Amino acid sequence: MEQKKSDVQQGTLALMALKTLDVLGPLHGYGIARRIEQISGELLSVNQGTLYPVLLKLEQEGAIASEWGASENNRKARFYRLTRAGRKRLDAETRGWEQTAAIMARFFTAKAEDYQ
Amino acid sequence: MRPLRRWLHRAFSLARRGEREERLRTEIEDHIARQTAENVRAGLDAAEARRQAILKFGPVESVREEYRDRGGLPLIETLARDVRYAARRLRKSPVFTTTAVLTLALGIGATTAIFTLAWAVLLKSLAVARPEELLRLGKEARCCFWGGYSQDKEYSLVSYELYQRFRDNTKGFSQLAAFSASQPLFGARRVGAQEPAGSYPGEFVSGNYFATFGVRAYAGRVLAPEDDRPGAPPAAMMSYRLWRDRYGADPSVVGATFNLNQKPFTLVGITPPGFFGETLRSNAPDFFLPLNTEPLAEADTDLYTPNNNWLELIGRMRRGAAPPSIEAEMRIELKQWLLSHWGDMGSIDRAKFPRQTLYLEPGGAGISAMREEYEQWLEILLGASGFTLLVVAANLAGLMLVRGLEQRRQVSLSMALGARASRMVRQAMAESLLLSALGGAAGLLVAYAGASLIMRFVFPAPDGRSAVPIDAAPSLPVLGFALGISLITGFCFGIAPAWMATRVDPIEALRGSGRSTALAGSRSRKALVVLQAALSVVLLSASGLLLAALHNLENEDFGFEPQGRIVAHIDPKLAGYSGDRLTLFYRSVQDSLAKMPEVDKVALCTYSPLGGNFWGAGIWIDGRPGSGTGGGVSAAWDRATPGYLSAIGNPILRGRGIAERDTQGSRHVAVVNEAFARKYFPNEDPIGKYFGQHGVESAREYEIVGITKNARYFHQELGEQSFPFFLLPEAQHDFVPGKASMDANPGSHILHDIVIAPRRGATLSIGRIRQAIAAADPDLPVISIRTLRAQVGDQFLQQRLIARLTSFFGLLALVLSCISVYGAMAWNVGARTAEIGVRMALGADGRSVLALVLRGVFTLVGAGLAIGLALTFLSGRFLKTQLYGLNPNDPVALLMAVGTLGLFAIAASLIPAVRATRISPQQALRAE
């Protein structure tokens, strides 16, 4: 069970990271983590580090690319950006999520008589 | 695509592992710095801000671990890490590592060395094109000549006429080649060169021989069907080996004229380096001559005699042909051919006609004379080395168990900290496998040295030339074998400690004292000691049995006197003697040697006893029409000059031996042995009776004038009743019946061996013998001079080698078992220190403590001996079928083995036992 939960979490985390990069453009790891934390609330308020393996996996799959750059405080930082393949994947997964969410929503709002 | 891309990415990033870790570190630093700055902006002080940032980031290690698992190939990476870790641990205990690697190297090396030989002799295919298409005639190798129109069991040797019939009529073969079953020696000299004639093994081959094998000439051309026709200019091929060793690969050899047995041959080509003829044997042919030159080179008529079966066949199947149908085809041809000779067949041949059949066998590995000869020996040796390897593995398993126990606390600590059990097992296995890999690598060196050594011992090189067509250098299959058995060995001795690692209870680490670990695993160790003792008993007994059998062989009554006699090997053909000149020449050699004061007796013979050669013949006894080859009446025979029997020390029981008065003009006589007399004249006195060896018409050829004691002439005879045997005077030539001028057996007058019996107490140097022979004819090459004892001993070369190697394996096993016994006992005493201390405090004295410890040893070793003896009886029965003269229940050998092991085991356990008696109760209790 535990394993499953973390799988779901990692899947959502990956999708959130992709969406963040889609909306905000190239960004470093901390920026992505902050953004996800701000929007999702509790998902990344602890264990922010778990984001990094997810980023690596996305990069290995070709959804994002990264390169070194200098950030505002003149520190060396890794900047991530969405690739074309990543954008396609984001679109596909967004659609998938929306469908799932819509179906689930209908389920949850259904009343007893709907089942007649 | 995605999984592949990810995999590639991972594989690539595996190479950049360090870079990736560095990247993560930088990113984490950046992340924490930003969060810290954020927290400071929110009003926290610097230290607290950083603390909060780190907390929020979460467990860095697990992120790093997960990151690592994502990148690279986790399996390979953890494997690499395990191996590195294992290497570090092994480096930390150099004594253990060295011992283990050396032990493994010996075990793996010995087994691999034997495998190298077994591979080359038993399994390797000929160096020819598409060996799987080759078929040979005959299930068993048969040497080298069979007269008549019927053969027992199977028709496996054929005459030239029958070969031609098979070749021209068998549709299933695209090529069918014939070659002589014996290996004649040729006297060879390059015409015009200032070199003495040498004597080299050769072979008569059909014109399509090289085409059949798909072998091309290394230089010049191969023999072709045009060379193998009556009247074709005599052509020959030379082996690459002789060309390189004797002629320095001189290109002008090709096309040069060579005198082979005094007849000029044009050397048309050199065979390729890997080709040693169709038969793997220690004396591979150096000259290949067309079949049709046989009458020229050998000066006889084998080629034209349809019932002289002297050829073996090997053929290449046509594409799509099936061996059973070719076999059926040839069986019909055989019957038809035999029927066409119905008029020439005797009554016995005719009676046996319905049973005549033939068999085809896969020919890819060649007709391996060596295989027939060495197969059983190699099997014994493979068994012995395999047992030794088992002992090695058991020994190492014991060592690893101890190591496992020592590391138990560490393991339980690791498990308490969350390490997975599978990881611990992997680590333990990594250590075993690394050890066995190291051992295997070192073992390859041992195997190479060992195989070369064995080969030099079994197949001594004649006069410095590379003799055996076997390469001791590890080939790919040998490397594979070594790797395979290393891994299996490593797995065998690693599995127990690895299994133990999984059974560690994390609580133990916390309990601290490690008290409960002391006796853990001791049962497995005891089992290992028992196993080793058992295997050692088997090996020791086997070597004892083999040594005893060898001793019996070497010291049996040969019927002649090997002690003190010297045999000089010559070849008068090489000096150009033949026909009538031979008798005079032998006379002068004999006189020249007899003149020396050191020499007591001297005589010449075709082949001296146990020299590896003999003649056999079917015989016709006067007044018994049913005898002869067809009637199974046959005997071995030899020719000799006067005085031969007393020179060799073979006593004459009745009558007389060969004497000066037996000349060509006088009555032709024969001396027979007891076996001959008993078998063919069971109820009568053979002296004065007649027999002959050239058909019924010759039955009054020889008059029996004497009976000798049975003498062992041939190795094949060992363990069997003596063959019937007769001796003829060299001076008397037999003629083909009806053709008064045609010598029936010219080859038998070429006497090869001079037997010299020195005077009692005199020493005779080889130089003096050479001088005396040279005085008779300076051009006569002396091929070798050695004692008759050495010649006899050579017959037991393999037996001796097997016995020695098995002894070596036995000793190795003994030493390893003793080490194990010592280790187990030392451990046992250490673990029971407290118990022994208490016992002593309660009044036990040194002797009862000693008894306590030794009782443990007796139980273990006794169990091992019992199991070992049971195994020995089984393996002894196997050995008995393999070796003549071996008594599997030889009590001396068995007692020696058991006694040796028992004594050594007790000696090995004495040190810990004595140490136990020195335990002082106070100390023991305080140590608790």
Side-chain angles (χ1 to χ4, degrees):
Chain A
M1 266 330 271
E2 211 177 354
Q3 189 62 40
K4 285 236 171 75
K5 187 175 156 198
S6 94
D7 273 356
V8 171
Q9 235 173 36
Q10 279 203 340
T12 42
L13 204 52
L15 191 55
M16 285 178 187
L18 288 179
K19 185 70 192 166
T20 308
L21 290 176
D22 182 37
V23 174
L24 298 183
L27 203 59
H28 43 67
Y30 176 73
I32 302 172
R34 273 304 273 164
R35 170 81 182 174
I36 294 177
E37 187 190 358
Q38 279 167 6
I39 295 180
S40 76
E42 44 89 52
L43 185 60
L44 266 187
S45 60
V46 292
N47 288 351
Q48 289 182 335
T50 52
L51 178 66
Y52 287 92
V54 173
L55 287 175
L56 181 67
K57 179 168 175 254
L58 284 172
E59 191 176 346
Q60 282 171 348
E61 288 166 357
I64 59 173
S66 71
E67 61 197 353
W68 291 114
S71 65
E72 49 279 19
N73 51 10
N74 233 355
R75 194 186 291 278
K76 207 175 150 194
R78 191 90 184 163
F79 282 87
Y80 295 88
R81 61 179 172 76
L82 205 59
T83 63
R84 188 120 47 97
R87 195 175 304 281
K88 262 191 228 160
R89 179 167 160 191
L90 178 62
D91 289 345
E93 290 197 16
T94 309
R95 264 199 307 278
W97 264 108
E98 279 167 354
Q99 274 174 11
T100 314
I103 293 168
M104 293 313 289
R106 278 207 296 279
F107 253 93
F108 290 135
T109 55
K111 298 190 175 68
E113 54 267 30
D114 293 340
Y115 287 96
Q116 292 289 312
Chain B
M1 262 331 266
R2 210 186 279 165
L4 177 69
R5 178 158 17 154
R6 198 187 311 164
W7 194 87
L8 282 176
H9 208 286
R10 285 179 165 201
F12 181 59
S13 60
L14 177 64
R16 302 180 314 174
R17 214 185 112 96
E19 202 182 307
R20 212 176 54 236
E21 300 237 325
E22 176 62 24
R23 167 179 155 182
L24 180 64
R25 207 180 54 75
T26 315
E27 284 199 81
I28 293 175
E29 256 172 34
D30 181 56
H31 186 110
I32 300 223
R34 284 171 198 275
Q35 185 69 57
T36 309
E38 183 92 26
N39 291 349
V40 167
R41 272 200 298 282
L44 292 175
D45 68 81
E48 182 60 15
R50 187 166 170 79
R51 203 181 75 84
Q52 291 288 345
I54 292 175
L55 272 179
K56 195 163 182 184
F57 190 84
V60 176
E61 261 319 301
S62 90
V63 169
R64 193 172 278 164
E65 186 84 11
E66 207 181 329
Y67 204 81
R68 256 186 224 139
D69 279 357
R70 287 244 173 268
L73 300 165
L75 198 70
I76 294 183
E77 253 184 308
T78 39
L79 189 73
R81 223 175 316 146
D82 285 342
V83 168
R84 221 170 1 201
Y85 181 60
R88 201 176 336 140
R89 283 204 301 194
L90 289 179
R91 256 205 311 276
K92 272 193 182 160
S93 36
V95 179
F96 165 79
T97 308
T98 318
T99 321
V101 169
L102 281 181
T103 316
L104 275 168
L106 277 176
I108 295 175
T111 314
T112 309
I114 305 295
F115 177 80
T116 308
L117 299 182
W119 169 257
V121 173
L122 302 183
L123 305 169
K124 204 165 144 188
S125 280
L126 287 174
V128 300
R130 301 185 305 285
E132 68 282 357
E133 290 177 4
L134 296 175
L135 287 179
R136 66 149 163 152
L137 176 70
K139 283 196 292 197
E140 284 167 33
R142 187 173 262 175
C143 186
C144 301
F145 177 87
W146 195 284
Y149 290 105
S150 61
Q151 287 178 32
D152 295 340
K153 291 185 207 154
E154 56 167 341
Y155 222 96
S156 62
L157 291 175
V158 304
S159 65
Y160 184 57
E161 192 185 297
L162 180 54
Y163 159 60
Q164 286 174 304
R165 188 172 182 113
F166 282 143
R167 183 192 62 194
D168 299 338
N169 295 311
T170 314
K171 292 179 208 68
F173 283 126
S174 61
Q175 297 274 13
L176 180 63
F179 49 92
S180 52
S182 64
Q183 299 109 51
L185 277 181
F186 293 122
R189 203 165 74 85
R190 186 174 174 178
V191 171
Q194 294 302 309
E195 57 172 24
S199 163
Y200 304 104
E203 187 167 89
F204 291 104
V205 300
S206 59
N208 61 358
Y209 178 84
F210 291 99
T212 303
F213 286 117
V215 167
R216 265 177 245 170
Y218 183 78
R221 63 170 179 89
V222 293
L223 292 174
E226 297 77 61
D227 298 309
D228 190 21
R229 283 196 184 131
M237 275 187 91
M238 185 188 279
S239 73
Y240 176 82
R241 203 157 53 118
L242 182 66
W243 186 51
R244 184 195 57 199
D245 293 352
R246 182 83 171 73
Y247 296 98
D250 177 3
S252 74
V253 164
V254 177
T257 305
F258 276 74
N259 275 339
L260 299 177
N261 289 355
Q262 313 290 323
K263 307 292 188 320
F265 279 75
T266 306
L267 203 108
V268 296
I270 308 291
T271 61
F275 185 74
F276 300 99
E278 76 299 322
T279 305
L280 180 63
R281 57 190 165 213
S282 45
N283 54 338
D286 282 320
F287 285 100
F288 295 87
L289 277 59
L291 291 178
N292 272 284
T293 62
E294 197 266 347
L296 174 74
E298 298 275 278
D300 64 23
T301 57
D302 280 346
L303 190 71
Y304 306 123
T305 317
N307 60 347
N308 265 3
N309 299 305
W310 60 290
L311 295 172
E312 296 195 71
L313 303 182
I314 207 159
R316 186 175 286 282
M317 281 187 283
R318 223 175 265 291
R319 207 152 294 219
S325 68
I326 304 180
E327 207 171 60
E329 205 181 339
M330 286 178 73
R331 282 180 184 158
I332 293 170
E333 286 161 22
L334 173 68
K335 289 274 168 121
Q336 286 172 345
W337 179 79
L338 286 174
L339 282 176
S340 73
H341 282 281
W342 194 257
D344 309 326
M345 284 161 69
S347 56
I348 304 289
D349 281 339
R350 288 180 185 177
K352 287 185 174 178
F353 172 76
R355 289 197 300 277
Q356 295 307 303
T357 187
L358 53 78
Y359 300 95
L360 293 175
E361 289 281 304
I367 294 174
S368 176
M370 266 179 171
R371 172 187 317 196
E372 317 268 339
E373 202 174 335
Y374 298 114
E375 191 164 19
Q376 53 188 37
W377 299 116
L378 285 168
E379 277 166 8
I380 294 177
L381 282 181
L382 268 181
S385 60
F387 269 37
T388 312
L389 193 60
L390 261 181
V391 174
V392 165
N395 184 276
L396 279 170
L399 287 178
M400 294 301 283
L401 272 177
V402 176
R403 257 176 92 72
L405 289 177
E406 282 163 359
Q407 287 165 357
R408 214 173 152 93
R409 288 193 55 185
Q410 193 194 329
V411 170
S412 53
L413 193 63
S414 305
M415 304 251 295
L417 290 177
R420 276 168 304 189
S422 66
R423 189 68 202 278
M424 295 290 111
V425 171
R426 266 211 320 257
Q427 265 176 16
M429 283 312 288
E431 197 170 308
S432 312
L433 290 179
L434 184 65
L435 266 182
S436 68
L438 288 174
L444 275 179
L445 294 178
V446 175
Y448 177 65
S452 325
L453 201 71
I454 294 172
M455 228 123 60
R456 209 169 311 146
F457 193 34
V458 194
F459 320 110
D463 29 291
R465 295 173 49 221
S466 42
V468 196
I470 288 182
D471 196 1
S475 56
L476 214 53
V478 170
L479 285 175
F481 176 83
L483 180 70
I485 60 167
S486 304
L487 289 182
I488 293 172
T489 313
F491 187 77
C492 286
F493 71 70
I495 191 81
W499 180 71
M500 269 178 53
T502 63
R503 307 213 323 158
V504 169
D505 187 350
I507 294 297
E508 264 180 27
L510 306 176
R511 249 195 235 132
S513 82
R515 187 185 306 186
S516 63
T517 67
L519 286 172
S522 77
R523 198 180 302 159
S524 354
R525 289 203 73 194
K526 282 179 182 164
L528 287 172
V529 169
V530 171
L531 175 68
Q532 287 183 68
L535 292 174
S536 305
V537 169
V538 175
L539 283 171
L540 286 173
S541 315
S543 69
L545 293 176
L546 288 166
L547 284 172
L550 179 65
H551 184 81
N552 291 345
L553 284 180
E554 285 185 317
N555 292 288
E556 75 174 312
D557 181 9
F558 293 107
F560 61 89
E561 186 46 71
Q563 214 54 47
R565 263 66 175 181
I566 295 168
V567 177
H569 195 58
I570 57 168
D571 195 339
K573 253 194 299 190
L574 305 186
Y577 290 95
S578 62
D580 299 340
R581 291 175 57 218
L582 284 167
T583 309
L584 276 174
F585 167 67
Y586 298 138
R587 169 96 303 195
S588 70
V589 172
Q590 201 163 346
D591 286 348
S592 173
L593 282 160
K595 263 198 301 217
M596 288 195 289
E598 304 95 317
V599 172
D600 183 19
K601 290 168 196 136
V602 58
L604 290 88
C605 56
T606 318
Y607 296 117
S608 56
L610 292 174
N613 276 312
F614 70 97
W615 289 64
I619 53 171
W620 280 261
I621 295 164
D622 184 29
R624 285 183 223 168
S627 52
T629 328
V633 179
S634 61
W637 64 288
D638 202 2
R639 264 186 211 281
T641 60
Y644 168 72
L645 289 171
S646 61
I648 202 82
N650 184 0
I652 299 165
L653 300 176
R654 296 189 44 217
R656 66 176 178 89
I658 306 295
E660 298 288 352
R661 62 179 136 129
D662 300 315
T663 60
Q664 180 58 22
S666 71
R667 180 91 196 82
H668 284 196
V669 299
V671 178
V672 303
N673 71 352
E674 284 173 279
F676 189 107
R678 204 166 302 144
K679 185 160 178 194
Y680 299 132
F681 299 95
N683 300 312
E684 39 189 333
D685 184 1
I687 290 187
K689 299 285 192 303
Y690 298 94
F691 70 96
Q693 57 165 321
H694 305 293
V696 176
E697 305 94 316
S698 72
R700 288 186 69 84
E701 172 92 40
Y702 314 125
E703 179 184 345
I704 300 173
V705 294
I707 303 171
T708 67
K709 186 174 167 182
N710 288 337
R712 293 230 181 267
Y713 264 69
F714 350 97
H715 187 212
Q716 284 87 338
E717 248 192 331
L718 293 169
E720 292 175 23
Q721 299 237 306
S722 283
F723 286 177
F725 170 83
F726 61 94
L727 186 67
L728 302 177
E730 189 283 319
Q732 299 183 337
H733 291 252
D734 328 333
F735 294 110
V736 178
K739 292 181 189 162
S741 56
M742 197 168 180
D743 195 328
N745 259 315
S748 69
H749 291 270
I750 305 293
L751 304 189
H752 289 102
D753 290 338
I754 311 175
V755 179
I756 305 159
R759 219 171 275 287
R760 197 173 290 268
T763 49
L764 191 53
S765 75
I766 289 179
R768 294 266 295 152
I769 296 173
R770 280 186 188 278
Q771 266 177 10
I773 296 174
D777 182 347
D779 287 336
L780 178 74
V782 178
I783 295 162
S784 69
I785 299 178
R786 56 181 176 170
T787 61
L788 186 53
R789 178 50 80 191
Q791 175 167 314
V792 170
D794 271 6
Q795 298 296 315
F796 309 115
L797 214 60
Q798 297 144 34
Q799 281 92 332
R800 202 175 306 139
L801 177 79
I802 307 295
R804 278 191 197 164
L805 283 177
T806 313
S807 307
F808 166 75
F809 291 139
L811 283 179
L812 190 61
L814 178 68
V815 170
L816 291 176
S817 309
C818 288
I819 292 174
S820 288
V821 169
Y822 169 79
M825 285 305 122
W827 179 266
N828 202 7
V829 167
R832 292 170 76 179
T833 304
E835 180 204 328
I836 293 170
V838 170
R839 279 170 188 265
M840 292 184 84
L842 292 177
D845 59 358
R847 193 180 300 164
S848 61
V849 169
L850 199 64
L852 177 76
V853 176
L854 287 183
R855 199 156 49 225
V857 183
F858 282 132
T859 323
L860 286 187
V861 175
L865 291 180
I867 297 173
L869 271 180
L871 283 174
T872 301
F873 284 122
L874 287 180
S875 61
R877 210 170 301 160
F878 167 71
L879 282 178
K880 184 181 162 57
T881 62
Q882 304 283 308
L883 179 61
Y884 157 69
L886 185 139
N887 171 13
N889 304 320
D890 185 349
V892 181
L894 296 184
L895 275 179
M896 288 269 279
V898 169
T900 311
L901 185 70
L903 272 181
F904 274 82
I906 289 168
S909 58
L910 267 183
I911 301 171
V914 167
R915 201 183 299 146
T917 64
R918 303 251 169 84
I919 291 172
S920 96
Q922 290 91 340
Q923 245 176 354
L925 295 175
R926 217 177 295 133
E928 258 318 82

